């Protein structure tokens, strides 16, 4: 079959994108600039700026001199590359073979695709219309070879579709730069008066090779079609998904387990081959009555361990309502991350908090019951007891400060301090006795006060004076008085914790 | 004579076998001592049984605090090699910084698991006990029947994890499959004459039940060096004399 190629050229790729993002910029001249050798040099200009004489490679200061209203924006790193890749992936709806043509184009192998749109002309019109609708100004051409399509898209103003076999005719009138040559070669051709391709295409090959090297001949050959040219195509990332259609509808737990085991084995094989592990997975069961049942799990670390993931999902199988039966199982890893490779796991033998076993256990606990909460506490830089510990954000988070043990702290701390009544002799002395839940505790030994000020920048209220007391039976408590002594208001005493 | 020696040997070997069948395993490592001194003699072979379930009974919140402190002291010995410990309960009551005072070098290596129902606490404990990467599991519960405790004990026999069940105000004290039942109560701290403040934590440790061991009662103090067993010669003497009188 005759091969056909299309080349798309985006003359204003980045600026068109910017205009689409911010429509207010559409009619204003603006440029992207980047510092080169200490000067701000224009890297891309929009059509409105170009119409007023601002071109790529100009120094911003010069452009500003004759066009004071020029808007200057910093160039974004690799923006063009990212845009081309995204557009290229989108273009896969027109042909499966799409390649990025740096810095400002795409190349598509459209052999055998155009008839679906009703011919090459309709196909081309359709793509141009779709991309123009998104705000991109494009030039597109179709030809037998990549070289000719490229040249026609950029330099020809006559017809974008080159009939099969007539590449040379189309190229003859185009400038020599249309052959994708280096700037040096183009300049040398110009010096010799060879301004169009037609002026040297019929020269003897040995003469051309002697003066301009192999590249010119290669490019000429690729454009005309007697040299092969290869492109590296874009490959969309296939989703981590496995499907299992069933011949007979499945409605038992055992059957679902079999299906799950099979799907997991296939999915985990792929994951471990790619050195990845899943963090979240969803099993969707399509029932024969058209409804979908699904269960999802999450893991605390990327894993491709079949028995572990199976256990997690198996805990939820009872939530699936098979009704008349399930005809299709789809297992998808919705979140995938890089995992430790198998060799690393075998040799490192991690212990403590980083042990794989522990991570798996925590996953099991979490997936058993949604109300299950797992905390790990780290010391925090606060004296206020409730704030002196903070929940760690991850299981491997390191201590920022050391645990403080210079002051007595109770083994068991009440979440909300409980009100008590006390008899205290003198201000700032520990109480003689206190009544807690109807029982009177005469204080025999006491330590304190330890005054802890409230952090006024966080909340308002009174300070606390803590006492470590022991009653006649040897029971030890942590009491505090809220605020100062005063005649005008009753001071309150609280019990806040129990010492060992 | 030789026949009697042979019999003795046979009996001692049979005794060891019985211990093994009951889930007791001898620790080859003598370093696994937990620093309880004479209390360890109450256990078979005079070694604190690591890798089994211990039950702590507390009748009040003060007792629970004392039990937590005592467990903290045991954890310090168990977690020396940087192990991880799980504390499973229905609500957060333990104040992690205080555990550091009982010698646990890394209180951040204790993970707190909160479950809504006691049934789930038990399930979580069993799952955790099966995981051999963990040093110890502590669960705060009220009820524990024989079947549940047997399940925990069986889980532990494979993984060699140490389990502590902290029971608050149990309604009944049925027999369980736990290797020991403890009761820790706070008692008055002792200070030198004229020194103000509160002394080191001091507890009355009671071993209500020990499988194949001797129950007993001790007074113990947690000082900067660890557990210090208090000799209660006076009390025991007076008690003996009383008993004699009664006899």
């Amino acid at each position: 079959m005759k091969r056909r190629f299309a080349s798309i050229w985006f003359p204003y790729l980045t600026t068109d994108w910017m205009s689409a993002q911010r429509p207010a910029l559409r009619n204003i001249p603006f440029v992207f600039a980047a510092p080169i050798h200490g000067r701000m040099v224009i890297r891309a200009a929009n059509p409105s700026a170009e119409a007023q004489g601002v071109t790529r490679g100009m120094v911003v200061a010069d452009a500003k001199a004759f066009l004071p209203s020029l808007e200057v924006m910093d160039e974004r790193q690799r923006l063009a590359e990212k845009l081309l890749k995204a557009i290229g992936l989108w273009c896969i709806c027109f042909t499966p073979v799409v390649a990025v043509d740096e810095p400002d184009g795409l190349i598509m192998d459209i052999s055998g695709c155009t008839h679906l749109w009703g011919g090459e002309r309709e196909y081309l019109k359709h793509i141009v219309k779709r991309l123009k609708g998104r705000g991109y100004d494009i030039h597109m051409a179709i030809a037998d070879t990549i070289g000719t399509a490229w040249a026609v898209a950029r330099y020809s103003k006559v017809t974008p579709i080159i009939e099969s076999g007539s590449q040379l005719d189309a190229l003859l009138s185009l400038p020599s730069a249309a052959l994708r040559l280096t700037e040096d070669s183009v300049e040398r051709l110009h010096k010799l008066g060879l301004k169009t391709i037609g002026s040297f295409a019929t020269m003897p090959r040995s003469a051309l090779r002697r003066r301009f090297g192999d590249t010119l001949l290669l490019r000429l050959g690729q454009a005309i079609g007697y040299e092969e040219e290869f492109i590296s195509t874009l490959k969309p990332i296939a989703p981590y998904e496995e499907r299992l259609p069933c011949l007979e509808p499945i409605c038992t737990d055992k059957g679902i387990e079999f299906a799950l085991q099979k799907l997991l084995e296939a999915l985990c094989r792929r994951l471990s081959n790619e050195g990845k592990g899943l963090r979240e997975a969803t099993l969707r069961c399509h029932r024969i009555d058209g409804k979908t049942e699904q269960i999802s799990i999450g893991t605390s670390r990327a894993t491709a361990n079949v028995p572990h993931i199976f256990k997690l999902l198996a805990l939820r199988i009872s939530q699936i309502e098979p009704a008349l039966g399930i005809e299709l199982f789809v297992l998808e890893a919705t979140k995938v991350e890089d995992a430790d490779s198998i060799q690393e796991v075998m040799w490192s033998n991690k212990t403590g908090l980083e042990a794989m076993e522990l991570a798996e256990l925590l996953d099991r606990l979490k997936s058993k019951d949604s109300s299950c909460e797992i905390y790990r506490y780290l010391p925090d830089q606060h004296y206020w007891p409730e704030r002196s510990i903070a929940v760690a954000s991850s299981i491997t988070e390191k201590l920022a400060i050391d645990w403080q043990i210079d002051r007595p702290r109770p083994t068991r701390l009440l979440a909300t301090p409980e009100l008590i009544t006390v008899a205290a002799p003198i201000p700032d002395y520990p109480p003689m006795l206190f009544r807690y839940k109807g029982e009177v505790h005469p204080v025999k030994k006491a330590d304190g006060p330890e005054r802890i000020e409230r952090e006024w920048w966080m909340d308002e209220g009174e300070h606390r004076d803590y006492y470590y007391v022991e009653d006649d039976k040897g029971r030890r408590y942590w009491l505090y008085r809220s605020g100062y002594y005063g005649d005008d208001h009753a001071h309150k005493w609280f019990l806040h914790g129990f010492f060992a | 004579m030789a026949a009697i020696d042979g019999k003795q040997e046979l009996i001692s070997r049979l005794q060891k076998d019985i211990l093994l069948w009951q889930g007791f395993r001898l620790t080859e490592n003598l370093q696994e001592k937990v620093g309880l001194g004479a209390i360890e003699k109450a256990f078979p072979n005079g070694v604190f049984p690591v890798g089994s379930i211990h039950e702590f009974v507390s009748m009040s919140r003060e007792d629970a605090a004392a039990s937590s402190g005592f467990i903290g002291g045991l954890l310090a010995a168990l977690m020396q090699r940087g192990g991880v410990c799980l504390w499973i309960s229905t609500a957060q009551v333990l104040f992690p910084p205080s555990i550091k005072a009982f010698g646990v070098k890394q209180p951040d290596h204790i993970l707190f698991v909160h479950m809504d129902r006691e049934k789930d606490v038990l399930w979580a404990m069993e799952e955790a006990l099966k995981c051999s990467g963990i040093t110890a599991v502590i669960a705060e519960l009220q009820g524990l029947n024989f079947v549940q405790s047997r399940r925990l004990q069986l889980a532990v026999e494979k993984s060699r994890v140490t389990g502590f069940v902290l029971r608050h105000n149990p309604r009944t004290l049925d027999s369980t499959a736990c290797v020991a039942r403890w009761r820790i109560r706070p008692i008055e701290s002792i200070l030198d004459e004229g020194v103000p403040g509160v002394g080191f934590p001091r507890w009355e440790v009671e071993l209500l039940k020990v499988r194949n061991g001797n129950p007993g009662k001790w007074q113990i103090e947690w000082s900067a060096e660890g557990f210090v067993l208090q000799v209660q010669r006076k009390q025991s003497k007076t008690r003996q004399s009383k008993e004699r009188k009664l006899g």
Side-chain angles (χ1 to χ4, degrees):
Chain A
M1 195 174 72
K2 206 78 197 134
R3 297 188 73 182
R4 298 288 280 170
F5 289 94
S7 171
I8 303 177
W9 178 43
F10 299 85
Y12 307 105
L13 180 66
T14 50
T15 55
D16 280 344
W17 174 81
M18 200 66 205
S19 302
Q21 296 287 312
R22 288 165 57 185
L25 285 171
R26 201 154 286 165
N27 300 313
I28 299 171
F30 73 91
V31 292
F32 282 114
I36 293 175
H37 297 305
R39 301 178 307 171
M40 288 301 278
V41 175
I42 293 171
R43 305 282 295 161
N46 75 337
S48 156
E50 220 157 64
Q52 300 190 51
V54 179
T55 53
R56 188 165 176 263
M58 210 179 239
V59 180
V60 170
D62 295 350
K64 278 256 186 190
F66 66 83
L67 190 63
S69 64
L70 186 70
E71 188 109 3
V72 181
M73 280 176 270
D74 285 337
E75 192 194 27
R76 300 190 192 187
Q77 285 290 314
R78 300 157 62 88
L79 174 65
E81 200 180 310
K82 277 183 211 159
L83 285 174
L84 280 178
K85 200 169 169 199
I87 298 170
L89 287 173
W90 174 79
C91 281
I92 287 179
C93 65
F94 298 110
T95 166
V97 189
V98 180
V100 169
D101 177 24
E102 300 261 7
D104 53 4
L106 289 176
I107 291 165
M108 293 151 64
D109 185 345
I110 59 164
S111 326
C113 294
T114 52
H115 71 276
L116 296 168
W117 275 264
E120 282 179 355
R121 194 157 293 278
E122 291 303 314
Y123 183 78
L124 185 140
K125 264 190 196 166
H126 186 76
I127 295 178
V128 170
K129 201 177 133 200
R130 289 288 295 272
L131 280 171
K132 282 235 163 101
R134 294 186 164 219
Y136 291 104
D137 186 11
I138 68 158
H139 293 256
M140 185 171 165
I142 294 175
D144 269 5
T145 62
I146 294 168
T148 308
W150 192 94
V152 172
R154 282 163 179 77
Y155 293 96
S156 167
K157 291 185 179 64
V158 192
T159 168
I161 295 171
I162 307 302
E163 290 302 319
S164 191
S166 57
Q167 294 91 298
L168 194 58
D169 301 338
L171 288 173
L172 286 178
S173 61
L174 298 182
S176 41
L179 276 183
R180 295 181 285 173
L181 300 172
T182 56
E183 271 180 42
D184 278 4
S185 315
V186 175
E187 205 172 312
R188 207 174 309 155
L189 285 165
H190 272 248
K191 271 185 193 158
L192 297 168
L194 304 171
K195 294 210 167 113
T196 60
I197 297 171
S199 56
F200 60 84
T202 48
M203 280 185 184
R205 289 173 64 83
S206 57
L208 284 176
R209 182 179 288 119
R210 204 162 52 240
R211 288 186 174 75
F212 306 103
D214 277 335
T215 328
L216 177 72
L217 285 175
L218 178 74
R219 286 304 192 189
L220 195 61
Q222 284 175 341
I224 295 167
Y226 52 77
E227 295 270 7
E228 199 64 46
E229 187 173 356
F230 303 99
I231 49 175
S232 59
T233 57
L234 287 173
K235 283 195 192 84
I237 302 157
Y240 290 92
E241 195 183 80
E242 291 293 333
R243 301 162 71 87
L244 183 74
C246 311
L247 269 177
E248 291 281 329
I250 284 180
C251 43
T252 59
D253 276 6
K254 200 80 202 154
I256 299 175
E257 275 175 23
F258 272 127
L260 185 59
Q261 185 74 29
K262 220 167 180 184
L263 287 170
L264 267 178
E265 271 163 19
L267 185 69
C268 288
R269 198 177 310 127
R270 180 178 163 205
L271 283 170
S272 52
N273 281 347
E274 291 176 22
K276 293 191 187 298
L278 62 82
R279 288 288 312 275
E280 278 168 22
T282 306
L283 176 73
R284 278 194 300 276
C285 309
H286 296 266
R287 293 189 339 202
I288 49 175
D289 58 1
K291 293 207 175 95
T292 319
E293 294 276 322
Q294 68 170 46
I295 51 173
S296 327
I297 52 122
T299 64
S300 53
R301 198 173 314 166
T303 173
N305 183 355
V306 178
H308 173 54
I309 306 167
F310 179 78
K311 256 187 218 165
L312 293 182
L313 280 163
L315 283 171
R316 304 246 157 138
I317 283 181
S318 57
Q319 292 173 13
I320 298 172
E321 168 66 65
L324 289 170
I326 297 160
E327 56 179 356
L328 174 66
F329 292 94
V330 181
L331 180 70
E332 191 190 356
T334 39
K335 194 170 167 194
V336 172
E337 279 177 10
D338 288 338
D340 295 344
S341 61
I342 300 165
Q343 274 121 337
E344 219 172 292
V345 174
M346 274 168 67
W347 292 105
S348 69
N349 217 347
K350 282 177 185 162
T351 54
L353 288 169
E354 286 176 3
M356 204 66 202
E357 269 181 326
L358 184 68
E360 292 183 357
L361 170 72
L362 297 184
D363 287 344
R364 275 206 300 283
L365 295 183
K366 262 186 240 168
S367 58
K368 161 82 175 172
D369 193 0
S370 56
S371 67
C372 169
E373 286 161 334
I374 295 165
Y375 297 105
R376 179 173 164 250
Y377 293 97
L378 294 179
D380 206 0
Q381 277 177 321
H382 294 281
Y383 283 107
W384 199 250
E386 285 93 333
R387 276 193 217 109
S388 63
I389 51 169
V391 176
S393 58
S394 76
I395 198 163
T396 47
E397 197 182 329
K398 295 274 184 311
L399 296 187
I401 53 164
D402 208 13
W403 291 92
Q404 301 296 313
I405 48 162
D406 48 346
R407 293 257 144 223
R409 288 288 176 264
T411 320
R412 293 169 91 84
L413 190 79
L414 295 173
T416 45
E418 286 172 16
L419 201 64
I420 50 170
T421 50
V422 304
I426 330 166
D428 294 337
Y429 261 65
M432 288 193 307
L433 55 89
F434 67 93
R435 186 189 289 273
Y436 172 58
K437 288 198 171 168
E439 194 185 344
V440 177
H441 300 263
V443 174
K444 289 287 170 206
K445 296 192 184 76
D447 202 354
E450 180 193 351
R451 174 162 297 179
I452 303 182
E453 286 287 348
R454 214 176 259 274
E455 289 151 315
W456 53 264
W457 59 94
M458 294 176 110
D459 58 355
E460 284 184 357
E462 282 168 320
H463 65 258
R464 293 169 176 180
D465 283 341
Y466 277 99
Y467 295 91
Y468 173 19
V469 301
E470 185 182 293
D471 75 356
D472 57 339
K473 286 179 187 149
R475 295 174 289 189
R476 289 169 277 271
Y477 302 91
W478 210 32
L479 313 178
Y480 74 84
R481 190 190 64 237
S482 183
Y484 294 105
Y485 266 101
D487 298 329
D488 48 335
H489 65 281
H491 43 268
K492 283 180 175 168
W493 284 81
F494 295 90
L495 189 147
H496 201 184
F498 301 92
F499 279 93
Chain B
M1 211 49 198
I4 293 169
D5 277 355
K7 254 184 197 169
Q8 285 277 329
E9 216 172 89
L10 192 74
I11 287 168
S12 70
R13 209 175 60 226
L14 280 173
Q15 267 172 344
K16 270 185 189 165
D17 282 351
I18 289 170
L19 280 182
L20 267 179
W21 294 332
Q22 286 180 331
F24 251 89
R25 218 168 296 173
L26 292 175
T27 35
E28 293 84 15
N29 238 344
L30 283 175
Q31 294 198 335
E32 281 204 47
K33 287 206 169 185
V34 289
L36 275 174
I39 300 182
E40 288 180 33
K41 297 232 162 58
F43 293 104
N45 298 320
V47 180
F48 178 84
V50 177
S52 43
I53 306 285
H54 294 258
E55 186 186 358
F56 288 81
V57 177
S58 69
M59 290 307 185
S60 64
R61 297 215 261 183
E62 293 86 349
D63 287 0
S67 306
S68 308
F70 185 77
I71 292 175
L74 295 177
L75 284 183
L78 295 175
M79 284 171 74
Q80 260 171 357
R81 273 177 245 141
V84 179
C85 174
L86 244 70
W87 197 298
I88 308 163
S89 58
T90 47
Q92 177 76 27
V93 250
L94 189 89
F95 192 52
S98 68
I99 283 294
K100 171 114 184 177
F102 291 102
V104 177
K105 282 186 196 112
Q106 293 159 310
D108 51 297
H109 276 209
I110 300 178
L111 299 174
F112 294 90
V113 179
H114 297 179
M115 291 289 201
D116 267 1
R117 287 163 297 174
E118 282 216 341
K119 214 173 79 185
D120 292 332
V121 172
L122 265 174
W123 178 85
M125 185 175 193
E126 198 186 325
E127 279 296 307
L129 287 176
K130 282 180 196 161
C131 179
S132 54
I134 294 175
T135 308
V137 182
I138 300 109
E140 297 191 20
L141 287 169
Q142 191 181 29
L144 182 75
N145 60 29
F146 185 79
V147 178
Q148 289 162 342
S149 63
R150 187 85 193 118
R151 281 187 70 127
L152 298 181
Q153 180 65 33
L154 285 175
V156 143
E157 278 170 22
K158 264 184 216 152
S159 63
R160 311 289 294 142
V161 179
T162 313
F164 299 100
V165 180
L166 194 53
R167 294 180 67 188
H168 302 305
N169 300 324
R171 283 200 197 93
T172 51
L173 276 177
D174 301 332
S175 58
T176 56
C178 301
V179 77
R181 178 179 286 163
W182 302 75
R183 180 156 185 195
I184 318 289
R185 267 179 296 203
I187 51 170
E188 258 181 277
S189 61
I190 290 179
L191 283 168
D192 290 338
E193 230 17 67
V195 176
V198 183
F200 288 123
R202 213 169 223 279
W203 306 300
E204 186 186 72
V205 175
E206 203 175 340
L207 258 175
L208 300 169
K209 273 184 185 176
V210 193
R211 208 181 329 142
N212 303 314
N214 311 309
K217 205 177 202 179
W218 300 268
Q219 286 196 1
I220 207 169
E221 186 177 77
W222 178 266
S223 69
E225 290 89 43
F227 292 114
V228 177
L229 202 68
Q230 303 298 306
V231 188
Q232 33 176 172
R233 224 170 271 151
K234 272 184 196 169
Q235 285 177 9
S236 55
K237 263 187 187 169
T238 49
R239 201 176 290 161
Q240 275 175 6
S241 57
K242 266 183 197 170
E243 278 165 9
R244 257 178 226 150
K245 273 175 200 167
L246 285 169

